[in-house]
Coordinates of all heavy atoms in Angstrom, one line a residue:
M1 N 51.1 -65.7 -8.2 CA 52.2 -64.8 -8.3 C 51.9 -63.4 -7.9 O 50.7 -63.0 -8.0 CB 52.7 -64.8 -9.8 CG 53.2 -66.1 -10.4 SD 54.8 -65.8 -10.9 CE 55.4 -67.5 -10.8
G2 N 52.9 -62.7 -7.5 CA 52.7 -61.3 -7.0 C 52.4 -60.4 -8.2 O 52.6 -60.7 -9.3
A3 N 51.8 -59.3 -7.9 CA 51.5 -58.3 -8.9 C 52.8 -57.7 -9.5 O 53.8 -57.4 -8.8 CB 50.7 -57.2 -8.3
K4 N 52.8 -57.4 -10.8 CA 53.9 -56.8 -11.4 C 53.8 -55.3 -11.2 O 52.7 -54.7 -11.3 CB 53.9 -57.1 -12.9 CG 54.3 -58.5 -13.2 CD 54.4 -58.7 -14.7 CE 54.8 -60.2 -15.0 NZ 55.0 -60.4 -16.4
M5 N 55.0 -54.7 -10.9 CA 55.0 -53.3 -10.7 C 55.6 -52.6 -11.9 O 56.5 -53.1 -12.5 CB 55.8 -52.9 -9.5 CG 55.2 -53.5 -8.2 SD 56.2 -53.1 -6.7 CE 55.6 -51.5 -6.4
K6 N 55.0 -51.5 -12.3 CA 55.6 -50.8 -13.5 C 56.1 -49.4 -13.0 O 55.4 -48.8 -12.2 CB 54.5 -50.5 -14.5 CG 54.9 -49.8 -15.7 CD 53.9 -49.8 -16.8 CE 54.4 -49.0 -17.9 NZ 54.5 -49.7 -19.1
Y7 N 57.3 -49.1 -13.4 CA 57.9 -47.9 -13.0 C 58.1 -47.0 -14.2 O 58.5 -47.4 -15.2 CB 59.3 -48.1 -12.3 CG 59.2 -49.0 -11.1 CD1 59.4 -50.4 -11.2 CD2 58.9 -48.4 -9.9 CE1 59.3 -51.1 -10.0 CE2 58.8 -49.2 -8.7 CZ 59.0 -50.6 -8.8 OH 59.0 -51.3 -7.7
N8 N 57.8 -45.7 -14.0 CA 58.1 -44.7 -15.0 C 59.4 -44.0 -14.7 O 59.4 -43.2 -13.7 CB 56.9 -43.7 -15.1 CG 55.7 -44.3 -15.7 OD1 55.8 -45.1 -16.5 ND2 54.5 -43.9 -15.1
I9 N 60.4 -44.3 -15.4 CA 61.7 -43.7 -15.2 C 62.0 -42.7 -16.3 O 62.0 -43.1 -17.5 CB 62.8 -44.7 -15.1 CG1 62.5 -45.6 -13.9 CG2 64.2 -44.1 -15.0 CD1 63.5 -46.8 -13.7
N10 N 62.1 -41.5 -16.0 CA 62.4 -40.4 -17.0 C 63.7 -39.8 -16.7 O 64.3 -39.2 -17.7 CB 61.3 -39.4 -16.9 CG 60.0 -39.9 -17.3 OD1 59.8 -40.6 -18.3 ND2 59.0 -39.8 -16.4
S11 N 64.2 -39.8 -15.5 CA 65.5 -39.2 -15.2 C 66.4 -40.1 -14.4 O 65.9 -40.8 -13.5 CB 65.3 -37.9 -14.5 OG 64.6 -38.1 -13.3
V12 N 67.7 -40.2 -14.7 CA 68.6 -41.1 -14.1 C 69.8 -40.3 -13.6 O 70.4 -39.5 -14.4 CB 69.0 -42.2 -15.1 CG1 70.0 -43.1 -14.4 CG2 67.8 -43.0 -15.6
G13 N 70.2 -40.5 -12.4 CA 71.4 -40.0 -11.8 C 72.5 -41.1 -11.8 O 72.1 -42.2 -11.4
I14 N 73.7 -40.7 -12.2 CA 74.7 -41.7 -12.1 C 75.9 -41.1 -11.4 O 76.4 -40.0 -11.7 CB 75.2 -42.1 -13.6 CG1 74.0 -42.7 -14.3 CG2 76.3 -43.1 -13.5 CD1 74.1 -42.7 -15.8
I15 N 76.4 -41.8 -10.4 CA 77.5 -41.4 -9.6 C 78.7 -42.2 -10.0 O 78.8 -43.4 -9.9 CB 77.2 -41.6 -8.1 CG1 76.0 -40.9 -7.6 CG2 78.4 -41.2 -7.2 CD1 75.5 -41.2 -6.2
G16 N 79.7 -41.5 -10.6 CA 80.9 -42.1 -11.2 C 80.9 -42.0 -12.7 O 80.0 -42.5 -13.4
A17 N 81.9 -41.3 -13.2 CA 82.0 -41.0 -14.6 C 83.1 -41.8 -15.3 O 83.7 -41.5 -16.3 CB 82.3 -39.5 -14.8
G18 N 83.5 -43.0 -14.7 CA 84.4 -43.9 -15.3 C 83.8 -44.6 -16.4 O 82.7 -44.3 -16.9
Q19 N 84.4 -45.7 -16.8 CA 84.0 -46.5 -18.0 C 82.6 -47.0 -17.8 O 81.7 -46.9 -18.7 CB 84.9 -47.7 -18.2 CG 84.6 -48.5 -19.4 CD 85.7 -49.5 -19.7 OE1 86.6 -49.7 -19.0 NE2 85.5 -50.2 -20.8
M20 N 82.3 -47.6 -16.6 CA 80.9 -48.1 -16.3 C 79.9 -46.9 -16.3 O 78.8 -47.0 -16.9 CB 80.9 -48.8 -15.0 CG 79.6 -49.5 -14.7 SD 79.2 -50.8 -15.8 CE 80.2 -52.1 -15.2
G21 N 80.2 -45.9 -15.6 CA 79.3 -44.8 -15.4 C 79.0 -44.1 -16.8 O 77.8 -43.8 -17.1
L22 N 80.0 -43.9 -17.6 CA 79.7 -43.2 -18.9 C 78.9 -44.1 -19.8 O 78.1 -43.7 -20.6 CB 81.0 -42.7 -19.5 CG 82.0 -43.7 -20.2 CD1 81.6 -43.9 -21.6 CD2 83.4 -43.1 -20.1
G23 N 79.2 -45.4 -19.7 CA 78.4 -46.4 -20.5 C 76.9 -46.4 -20.1 O 76.0 -46.4 -21.0
I24 N 76.7 -46.3 -18.8 CA 75.3 -46.3 -18.3 C 74.6 -45.0 -18.8 O 73.5 -45.0 -19.2 CB 75.2 -46.5 -16.8 CG1 75.7 -47.9 -16.4 CG2 73.8 -46.2 -16.3 CD1 76.0 -48.0 -14.9
A25 N 75.4 -43.9 -18.6 CA 74.8 -42.6 -19.0 C 74.5 -42.6 -20.5 O 73.4 -42.1 -20.9 CB 75.9 -41.5 -18.7
H26 N 75.4 -43.1 -21.4 CA 75.1 -43.2 -22.8 C 73.8 -44.0 -23.1 O 73.0 -43.5 -23.8 CB 76.3 -43.9 -23.4 CG 76.2 -44.2 -24.9 ND1 77.3 -44.2 -25.7 CD2 75.1 -44.4 -25.7 CE1 76.9 -44.5 -27.0 NE2 75.6 -44.6 -26.9
V27 N 73.7 -45.2 -22.5 CA 72.5 -46.0 -22.8 C 71.2 -45.3 -22.3 O 70.2 -45.3 -23.0 CB 72.7 -47.4 -22.2 CG1 71.4 -48.2 -22.3 CG2 73.8 -48.1 -22.9
C28 N 71.3 -44.8 -21.1 CA 70.1 -44.1 -20.5 C 69.7 -42.9 -21.3 O 68.5 -42.8 -21.6 CB 70.3 -43.7 -19.1 SG 70.4 -45.1 -17.9
A29 N 70.6 -42.1 -21.8 CA 70.3 -40.9 -22.6 C 69.8 -41.3 -23.9 O 68.8 -40.7 -24.4 CB 71.5 -40.0 -22.7
A30 N 70.4 -42.3 -24.5 CA 69.9 -42.8 -25.9 C 68.5 -43.4 -25.8 O 67.8 -43.4 -26.8 CB 70.9 -43.8 -26.4
S31 N 68.1 -43.8 -24.6 CA 66.8 -44.4 -24.4 C 65.8 -43.3 -24.1 O 64.6 -43.6 -23.9 CB 66.8 -45.4 -23.3 OG 67.6 -46.5 -23.6
G32 N 66.2 -42.1 -24.1 CA 65.3 -40.9 -23.9 C 65.2 -40.4 -22.5 O 64.4 -39.5 -22.2
N33 N 66.1 -40.9 -21.6 CA 66.0 -40.4 -20.2 C 67.0 -39.2 -20.0 O 68.0 -39.1 -20.7 CB 66.5 -41.5 -19.2 CG 65.6 -42.7 -19.2 OD1 64.5 -42.6 -18.8 ND2 66.1 -43.8 -19.7
S34 N 66.6 -38.3 -19.2 CA 67.5 -37.2 -18.8 C 68.5 -37.8 -17.8 O 68.1 -38.6 -17.0 CB 66.7 -36.1 -18.1 OG 65.8 -35.5 -19.0
V35 N 69.7 -37.4 -18.0 CA 70.8 -38.0 -17.2 C 71.6 -36.9 -16.5 O 72.0 -35.9 -17.1 CB 71.7 -38.9 -18.0 CG1 72.9 -39.4 -17.3 CG2 71.0 -40.1 -18.7
I36 N 71.9 -37.1 -15.2 CA 72.9 -36.3 -14.5 C 74.0 -37.2 -14.1 O 73.9 -38.2 -13.4 CB 72.3 -35.7 -13.2 CG1 71.1 -34.8 -13.5 CG2 73.3 -34.9 -12.4 CD1 70.3 -34.4 -12.2
L37 N 75.2 -36.9 -14.7 CA 76.4 -37.7 -14.4 C 77.2 -37.0 -13.4 O 77.6 -35.8 -13.7 CB 77.1 -37.9 -15.7 CG 78.4 -38.8 -15.7 CD1 78.1 -40.2 -15.2 CD2 79.0 -38.9 -17.1
V38 N 77.5 -37.6 -12.3 CA 78.2 -36.9 -11.2 C 79.5 -37.6 -10.9 O 79.6 -38.8 -10.9 CB 77.4 -36.9 -9.9 CG1 78.1 -36.2 -8.7 CG2 76.0 -36.2 -10.1
D39 N 80.6 -36.8 -10.7 CA 81.9 -37.3 -10.3 C 82.6 -36.2 -9.5 O 82.3 -35.0 -9.8 CB 82.7 -37.7 -11.5 CG 83.8 -38.6 -11.2 OD1 84.8 -38.2 -10.6 OD2 83.7 -39.8 -11.5
I40 N 83.5 -36.6 -8.6 CA 84.2 -35.6 -7.8 C 85.3 -34.9 -8.7 O 85.8 -33.9 -8.3 CB 84.8 -36.2 -6.6 CG1 85.7 -37.3 -6.9 CG2 83.7 -36.6 -5.6 CD1 86.5 -37.9 -5.7
D41 N 85.6 -35.5 -9.8 CA 86.7 -35.1 -10.7 C 86.2 -34.5 -12.0 O 85.6 -35.2 -12.8 CB 87.6 -36.2 -11.0 CG 88.9 -35.9 -11.8 OD1 89.0 -34.7 -12.3 OD2 89.7 -36.7 -12.0
N42 N 86.3 -33.2 -12.1 CA 85.8 -32.5 -13.3 C 86.5 -33.1 -14.6 O 85.8 -33.1 -15.6 CB 86.0 -31.0 -13.2 CG 84.9 -30.2 -14.0 OD1 83.8 -30.7 -14.2 ND2 85.3 -29.1 -14.5
N43 N 87.7 -33.4 -14.5 CA 88.4 -34.0 -15.7 C 87.7 -35.3 -16.1 O 87.6 -35.6 -17.3 CB 89.9 -34.2 -15.4 CG 90.7 -32.9 -15.4 OD1 90.3 -32.0 -16.1 ND2 91.7 -32.9 -14.6
A44 N 87.3 -36.1 -15.1 CA 86.6 -37.4 -15.4 C 85.3 -37.1 -16.1 O 85.0 -37.8 -17.1 CB 86.4 -38.2 -14.1
L45 N 84.6 -36.1 -15.7 CA 83.4 -35.7 -16.4 C 83.6 -35.3 -17.8 O 82.9 -35.6 -18.7 CB 82.7 -34.6 -15.6 CG 82.1 -35.0 -14.2 CD1 81.7 -33.8 -13.4 CD2 81.0 -36.0 -14.4
N46 N 84.7 -34.4 -18.0 CA 85.0 -34.0 -19.4 C 85.4 -35.1 -20.2 O 85.0 -35.2 -21.4 CB 86.1 -32.9 -19.3 CG 85.7 -31.6 -18.7 OD1 84.5 -31.3 -18.7 ND2 86.6 -30.9 -18.1
N47 N 86.2 -36.1 -19.7 CA 86.6 -37.3 -20.5 C 85.4 -38.1 -20.8 O 85.3 -38.7 -21.9 CB 87.6 -38.1 -19.7 CG 89.0 -37.3 -19.6 OD1 89.3 -36.5 -20.4 ND2 89.8 -37.7 -18.6
A48 N 84.5 -38.3 -19.9 CA 83.3 -39.1 -20.1 C 82.4 -38.5 -21.2 O 82.0 -39.2 -22.1 CB 82.5 -39.2 -18.8
A49 N 82.2 -37.2 -21.1 CA 81.5 -36.5 -22.2 C 82.1 -36.6 -23.5 O 81.4 -36.9 -24.5 CB 81.3 -35.0 -21.8
A50 N 83.4 -36.5 -23.6 CA 84.1 -36.7 -24.9 C 84.0 -38.1 -25.4 O 83.8 -38.3 -26.6 CB 85.6 -36.3 -24.7
T51 N 84.1 -39.1 -24.5 CA 84.0 -40.5 -24.9 C 82.6 -40.8 -25.4 O 82.5 -41.5 -26.5 CB 84.4 -41.4 -23.7 OG1 85.7 -41.1 -23.4 CG2 84.3 -42.9 -24.1
I52 N 81.6 -40.3 -24.7 CA 80.2 -40.5 -25.2 C 80.0 -39.9 -26.6 O 79.5 -40.5 -27.5 CB 79.2 -40.0 -24.2 CG1 79.3 -40.8 -22.9 CG2 77.8 -40.0 -24.8 CD1 78.5 -40.2 -21.7
D53 N 80.6 -38.7 -26.8 CA 80.5 -38.0 -28.0 C 81.1 -38.8 -29.1 O 80.6 -39.0 -30.2 CB 81.1 -36.6 -27.9 CG 81.0 -35.8 -29.2 OD1 79.8 -35.7 -29.7 OD2 82.0 -35.3 -29.7
Q54 N 82.3 -39.3 -28.9 CA 83.1 -40.2 -29.8 C 82.3 -41.5 -30.2 O 82.2 -41.9 -31.3 CB 84.5 -40.5 -29.3 CG 85.4 -39.3 -29.3 CD 86.7 -39.7 -28.5 OE1 86.9 -40.8 -28.0 NE2 87.6 -38.7 -28.5
N55 N 81.8 -42.1 -29.1 CA 81.0 -43.4 -29.3 C 79.8 -43.1 -30.2 O 79.5 -43.9 -31.1 CB 80.7 -44.0 -28.0 CG 81.9 -44.5 -27.2 OD1 82.9 -44.7 -27.8 ND2 81.7 -44.7 -25.9
L56 N 79.1 -42.0 -29.9 CA 77.9 -41.7 -30.7 C 78.3 -41.4 -32.1 O 77.7 -41.7 -33.1 CB 77.1 -40.5 -30.1 CG 76.4 -40.9 -28.8 CD1 75.9 -39.6 -28.1 CD2 75.2 -41.8 -29.0
G57 N 79.5 -40.7 -32.3 CA 80.0 -40.3 -33.6 C 80.3 -41.6 -34.4 O 80.0 -41.6 -35.7
R58 N 80.8 -42.6 -33.8 CA 81.0 -43.9 -34.5 C 79.7 -44.5 -35.0 O 79.6 -45.0 -36.1 CB 81.8 -44.9 -33.6 CG 83.3 -44.7 -33.7 CD 84.0 -45.9 -33.1 NE 83.7 -46.2 -31.7 CZ 84.4 -45.6 -30.7 NH1 85.3 -44.6 -30.9 NH2 84.1 -45.8 -29.5
L59 N 78.7 -44.4 -34.1 CA 77.4 -44.9 -34.5 C 76.8 -44.2 -35.7 O 76.2 -44.8 -36.6 CB 76.4 -44.9 -33.3 CG 76.8 -45.8 -32.2 CD1 75.8 -45.6 -31.0 CD2 76.7 -47.3 -32.6
V60 N 77.0 -42.9 -35.7 CA 76.6 -42.0 -36.9 C 77.3 -42.5 -38.1 O 76.7 -42.7 -39.2 CB 76.8 -40.5 -36.6 CG1 76.5 -39.7 -37.8 CG2 75.9 -40.1 -35.5
S61 N 78.6 -42.6 -38.0 CA 79.4 -42.9 -39.2 C 79.1 -44.3 -39.8 O 79.3 -44.6 -41.0 CB 80.9 -42.8 -38.9 OG 81.3 -43.8 -38.0
R62 N 78.6 -45.2 -38.9 CA 78.2 -46.5 -39.4 C 76.7 -46.6 -39.8 O 76.3 -47.7 -40.2 CB 78.4 -47.5 -38.2 CG 79.8 -47.8 -37.9 CD 80.0 -48.7 -36.7 NE 81.4 -48.8 -36.3 CZ 81.7 -49.3 -35.1 NH1 80.8 -49.7 -34.2 NH2 83.0 -49.3 -34.8
G63 N 76.0 -45.5 -39.7 CA 74.7 -45.4 -40.1 C 73.7 -46.0 -39.1 O 72.5 -46.3 -39.5
K64 N 74.1 -46.2 -37.9 CA 73.3 -46.9 -36.9 C 72.3 -45.8 -36.3 O 71.2 -46.2 -35.8 CB 74.1 -47.5 -35.8 CG 75.1 -48.5 -36.2 CD 74.4 -49.8 -36.6 CE 75.4 -50.9 -36.9 NZ 74.8 -52.1 -37.4
I65 N 72.8 -44.6 -36.2 CA 71.9 -43.5 -35.7 C 72.1 -42.3 -36.6 O 73.2 -42.2 -37.3 CB 72.2 -43.1 -34.2 CG1 73.6 -42.6 -34.0 CG2 71.9 -44.3 -33.3 CD1 73.8 -42.0 -32.6
S66 N 71.2 -41.3 -36.5 CA 71.4 -40.1 -37.2 C 72.2 -39.0 -36.4 O 72.3 -39.2 -35.2 CB 70.0 -39.5 -37.6 OG 69.4 -39.1 -36.5
E67 N 72.6 -38.0 -37.1 CA 73.3 -36.9 -36.4 C 72.3 -36.3 -35.4 O 72.7 -35.8 -34.3 CB 73.8 -35.9 -37.4 CG 74.6 -34.8 -36.8 CD 75.9 -35.2 -36.1 OE1 76.6 -36.1 -36.6 OE2 76.3 -34.5 -35.1
K68 N 71.0 -36.2 -35.8 CA 70.0 -35.7 -35.0 C 69.8 -36.5 -33.7 O 69.7 -35.9 -32.6 CB 68.7 -35.6 -35.7 CG 67.5 -35.1 -35.0 CD 66.2 -35.1 -35.8 CE 65.0 -34.6 -35.0 NZ 63.8 -34.7 -35.7
D69 N 69.9 -37.8 -33.8 CA 69.8 -38.7 -32.6 C 71.0 -38.4 -31.7 O 70.9 -38.4 -30.5 CB 69.8 -40.2 -33.0 CG 68.6 -40.6 -33.8 OD1 67.5 -39.9 -33.5 OD2 68.6 -41.6 -34.5
K70 N 72.2 -38.3 -32.3 CA 73.4 -38.0 -31.5 C 73.2 -36.7 -30.7 O 73.5 -36.7 -29.5 CB 74.6 -37.9 -32.4 CG 75.9 -37.5 -31.7 CD 77.1 -37.3 -32.7 CE 78.3 -36.7 -31.9 NZ 79.4 -36.4 -32.8
K71 N 72.8 -35.7 -31.4 CA 72.6 -34.4 -30.7 C 71.6 -34.5 -29.6 O 71.8 -33.9 -28.5 CB 72.3 -33.3 -31.7 CG 73.4 -32.9 -32.6 CD 73.0 -31.8 -33.6 CE 74.2 -31.5 -34.5 NZ 73.9 -30.5 -35.5
A72 N 70.5 -35.2 -29.9 CA 69.4 -35.4 -28.9 C 69.9 -36.1 -27.7 O 69.6 -35.8 -26.5 CB 68.2 -36.1 -29.5
T73 N 70.7 -37.2 -27.9 CA 71.3 -38.0 -26.8 C 72.2 -37.1 -25.9 O 72.1 -37.1 -24.7 CB 72.0 -39.2 -27.3 OG1 71.1 -40.0 -28.0 CG2 72.7 -40.0 -26.2
L74 N 73.1 -36.4 -26.6 CA 74.1 -35.5 -25.8 C 73.3 -34.5 -25.0 O 73.8 -34.1 -23.9 CB 75.1 -34.9 -26.8 CG 76.1 -35.9 -27.4 CD1 76.9 -35.2 -28.5 CD2 77.0 -36.5 -26.4
A75 N 72.3 -33.9 -25.6 CA 71.5 -32.9 -24.9 C 70.8 -33.4 -23.6 O 70.5 -32.7 -22.7 CB 70.4 -32.3 -25.8
K76 N 70.6 -34.7 -23.6 CA 70.0 -35.3 -22.4 C 70.9 -35.5 -21.2 O 70.5 -35.8 -20.1 CB 69.4 -36.7 -22.8 CG 68.3 -36.7 -23.7 CD 67.0 -36.6 -23.0 CE 65.8 -36.7 -23.9 NZ 64.6 -36.3 -23.1
I77 N 72.2 -35.3 -21.4 CA 73.2 -35.6 -20.4 C 73.8 -34.3 -19.8 O 74.2 -33.4 -20.6 CB 74.4 -36.4 -21.0 CG1 73.9 -37.7 -21.5 CG2 75.5 -36.6 -19.9 CD1 74.9 -38.5 -22.3
S78 N 73.7 -34.1 -18.5 CA 74.3 -33.0 -17.8 C 75.3 -33.6 -16.8 O 75.2 -34.7 -16.4 CB 73.3 -32.1 -17.1 OG 72.6 -32.8 -16.1
T79 N 76.3 -32.8 -16.5 CA 77.3 -33.3 -15.5 C 77.4 -32.3 -14.3 O 77.0 -31.1 -14.4 CB 78.7 -33.3 -16.2 OG1 79.1 -32.0 -16.7 CG2 78.7 -34.3 -17.4
N80 N 77.9 -32.9 -13.2 CA 78.0 -32.1 -12.0 C 79.1 -32.7 -11.1 O 79.2 -33.9 -11.1 CB 76.7 -32.0 -11.3 CG 76.6 -30.8 -10.4 OD1 77.6 -30.3 -9.9 ND2 75.3 -30.3 -10.2
T81 N 79.8 -31.9 -10.3 CA 80.7 -32.4 -9.3 C 80.0 -32.5 -8.0 O 80.7 -32.9 -7.0 CB 82.0 -31.6 -9.3 OG1 81.6 -30.2 -9.0 CG2 82.8 -31.6 -10.5
K82 N 78.8 -32.1 -7.9 CA 78.0 -32.1 -6.6 C 76.9 -33.1 -6.7 O 76.4 -33.3 -7.8 CB 77.5 -30.7 -6.3 CG 78.6 -29.6 -6.2 CD 79.4 -29.7 -5.0 CE 80.4 -28.6 -4.9 NZ 81.7 -28.9 -4.5
L83 N 76.4 -33.6 -5.6 CA 75.3 -34.5 -5.6 C 73.9 -33.8 -5.7 O 72.9 -34.5 -5.9 CB 75.3 -35.4 -4.4 CG 76.6 -36.3 -4.2 CD1 76.6 -37.0 -2.9 CD2 76.6 -37.3 -5.4
N84 N 73.9 -32.5 -5.6 CA 72.6 -31.8 -5.6 C 72.0 -32.1 -7.0 O 72.6 -32.1 -8.0 CB 72.7 -30.3 -5.3 CG 73.8 -29.6 -6.1 OD1 74.8 -30.2 -6.5 ND2 73.6 -28.4 -6.3
G85 N 70.7 -32.2 -7.0 CA 70.0 -32.6 -8.3 C 69.6 -34.0 -8.4 O 68.7 -34.4 -9.0
L86 N 70.4 -34.9 -7.7 CA 70.1 -36.3 -7.8 C 68.8 -36.7 -7.1 O 68.1 -37.6 -7.4 CB 71.2 -37.1 -7.1 CG 72.5 -37.1 -7.9 CD1 73.6 -38.0 -7.2 CD2 72.4 -37.6 -9.3
S87 N 68.4 -35.9 -6.1 CA 67.1 -36.1 -5.4 C 65.9 -36.0 -6.3 O 64.8 -36.6 -6.0 CB 67.0 -35.2 -4.2 OG 66.9 -33.9 -4.6
E88 N 66.1 -35.3 -7.4 CA 65.0 -35.1 -8.4 C 64.9 -36.3 -9.4 O 64.0 -36.4 -10.1 CB 65.2 -33.8 -9.1 CG 65.2 -32.6 -8.2 CD 63.9 -32.4 -7.4 OE1 62.8 -32.6 -8.0 OE2 64.1 -32.1 -6.2
C89 N 65.9 -37.2 -9.4 CA 66.0 -38.3 -10.3 C 65.1 -39.4 -9.9 O 64.9 -39.7 -8.7 CB 67.4 -38.8 -10.4 SG 68.6 -37.6 -11.1
D90 N 64.5 -40.1 -10.9 CA 63.6 -41.2 -10.6 C 64.5 -42.5 -10.2 O 64.0 -43.3 -9.5 CB 62.8 -41.6 -11.9 CG 61.9 -40.5 -12.3 OD1 61.3 -39.8 -11.4 OD2 61.8 -40.2 -13.5
L91 N 65.7 -42.5 -10.7 CA 66.6 -43.6 -10.4 C 68.0 -43.1 -10.2 O 68.4 -42.2 -11.0 CB 66.6 -44.6 -11.5 CG 67.5 -45.8 -11.5 CD1 67.2 -46.8 -10.3 CD2 67.5 -46.6 -12.8
V92 N 68.8 -43.5 -9.2 CA 70.2 -43.2 -9.1 C 71.0 -44.4 -9.0 O 70.7 -45.4 -8.3 CB 70.4 -42.3 -7.8 CG1 71.9 -42.0 -7.6 CG2 69.6 -41.0 -7.8
I93 N 72.0 -44.5 -9.8 CA 72.9 -45.6 -9.9 C 74.3 -45.2 -9.5 O 74.9 -44.2 -9.9 CB 73.0 -46.1 -11.4 CG1 71.6 -46.5 -11.9 CG2 74.0 -47.3 -11.5 CD1 71.5 -46.8 -13.4
E94 N 74.8 -46.0 -8.6 CA 76.2 -45.7 -8.1 C 77.2 -46.6 -8.9 O 77.1 -47.8 -8.9 CB 76.3 -46.1 -6.6 CG 77.6 -45.9 -6.0 CD 78.5 -47.1 -6.1 OE1 78.1 -48.2 -5.8 OE2 79.7 -46.9 -6.4
A95 N 78.1 -45.9 -9.6 CA 79.1 -46.6 -10.4 C 80.5 -46.0 -10.1 O 81.3 -45.9 -11.0 CB 78.7 -46.5 -11.9
A96 N 80.7 -45.7 -8.9 CA 82.0 -45.1 -8.5 C 83.0 -46.2 -8.4 O 82.7 -47.4 -8.4 CB 81.9 -44.4 -7.1
T97 N 84.2 -45.8 -8.4 CA 85.4 -46.7 -8.4 C 85.3 -47.6 -7.2 O 84.7 -47.3 -6.2 CB 86.7 -45.9 -8.4 OG1 87.8 -46.8 -8.5 CG2 86.9 -45.1 -7.1
E98 N 85.8 -48.8 -7.4 CA 85.8 -49.8 -6.3 C 86.8 -49.6 -5.3 O 87.8 -50.3 -5.1 CB 85.9 -51.2 -6.9 CG 84.7 -51.7 -7.8 CD 83.4 -51.7 -7.0 OE1 83.4 -52.1 -5.8 OE2 82.4 -51.3 -7.6
N99 N 86.7 -48.4 -4.6 CA 87.6 -48.0 -3.6 C 86.7 -47.7 -2.4 O 86.0 -46.7 -2.4 CB 88.4 -46.8 -4.0 CG 89.4 -46.4 -2.9 OD1 89.1 -46.3 -1.7 ND2 90.6 -46.0 -3.3
E100 N 86.8 -48.5 -1.3 CA 85.8 -48.4 -0.2 C 85.9 -47.0 0.4 O 84.9 -46.4 0.8 CB 86.1 -49.4 0.8 CG 85.1 -49.5 2.0 CD 85.3 -50.6 2.9 OE1 86.2 -51.5 2.7 OE2 84.6 -50.6 3.9
E101 N 87.1 -46.4 0.6 CA 87.2 -45.1 1.2 C 86.6 -44.0 0.3 O 85.9 -43.1 0.9 CB 88.7 -44.7 1.4 CG 89.3 -45.5 2.5 CD 88.5 -45.5 3.8 OE1 88.2 -44.4 4.3 OE2 88.3 -46.6 4.4
I102 N 86.7 -44.1 -1.0 CA 86.0 -43.1 -1.9 C 84.5 -43.3 -1.8 O 83.8 -42.3 -1.7 CB 86.5 -43.3 -3.3 CG1 88.0 -42.8 -3.5 CG2 85.6 -42.5 -4.3 CD1 88.6 -43.1 -4.8
K103 N 84.0 -44.5 -1.7 CA 82.6 -44.7 -1.6 C 82.0 -44.2 -0.3 O 81.0 -43.6 -0.3 CB 82.2 -46.2 -1.8 CG 82.4 -46.6 -3.3 CD 82.0 -48.0 -3.5 CE 82.2 -48.4 -4.9 NZ 81.2 -49.3 -5.4
K104 N 82.8 -44.4 0.8 CA 82.3 -43.9 2.1 C 82.2 -42.3 2.1 O 81.3 -41.8 2.6 CB 83.3 -44.3 3.2 CG 83.1 -45.8 3.5 CD 84.1 -46.1 4.7 CE 83.9 -47.6 5.0 NZ 84.9 -48.0 6.1
S105 N 83.2 -41.7 1.4 CA 83.2 -40.2 1.4 C 82.1 -39.7 0.4 O 81.6 -38.7 0.6 CB 84.6 -39.7 1.1 OG 84.9 -40.0 -0.3

C-alpha cells in the first residue's frame, strides 16, 4: 500500500455563504480552524453569520457547548466579498450556488 499522507490544516477558505457554505464554516471553526467565508453578496454573508450564531446558541442552550466555546468559534470566522486572503488558506472549498455562470465568474 502507498504511504499515508498527513496534512496540517489550520485555515480554511470557503467560497459561498449559502446553506452548505455556512455549515462547512461552522464545523471548520468549531474544530479550531480559522475560516474565511467569501460570497459576492454581503447580505448572504450577514445571514450566514447570523445563522451560525443562532445554531451555536441552540447548542449552548442544550448544554452541548459552553458560551466560551460559542464565542471562540465565532471569533474564528471572518467574512469577505473578495477572494483575497484565500491564497493564505491551507484548504479552500467551493460551495457556491449550482449556477454555472456564477461559478465561471
Side-chain angles (χ1 to χ4, degrees):
M1 296 240 154
K4 290 186 178 182
M5 299 180 80
K6 183 173 176 120
Y7 298 97
N8 291 322
I9 297 173
N10 298 306
S11 59
V12 179
I14 301 160
I15 302 169
Q19 186 174 3
M20 185 67 78
L22 75 88
I24 295 167
H26 174 151
V27 171
C28 289
S31 297
N33 298 293
S34 297
V35 173
I36 301 173
L37 183 59
V38 179
D39 199 288
I40 58 173
D41 183 353
N42 208 30
N43 288 329
L45 292 169
N46 292 335
N47 291 337
T51 300
I52 293 168
D53 184 50
Q54 290 171 354
N55 292 343
L56 290 168
R58 274 196 298 276
L59 292 174
V60 171
S61 69
R62 294 179 185 160
K64 302 285 185 186
I65 65 171
S66 68
E67 185 66 33
K68 181 180 175 183
D69 291 335
K70 175 185 173 184
K71 288 180 182 177
T73 298
L74 290 173
K76 292 272 187 190
I77 302 171
S78 64
T79 60
N80 202 332
T81 56
K82 306 286 185 220
L83 296 175
N84 51 331
L86 292 180
S87 63
E88 302 299 319
C89 293
D90 298 319
L91 174 68
V92 177
I93 300 168
E94 181 270 317
T97 185
E98 291 301 322
N99 180 320
E100 188 174 353
E101 289 307 311
I102 290 174
K103 288 185 180 215
K104 284 180 181 179
S105 66

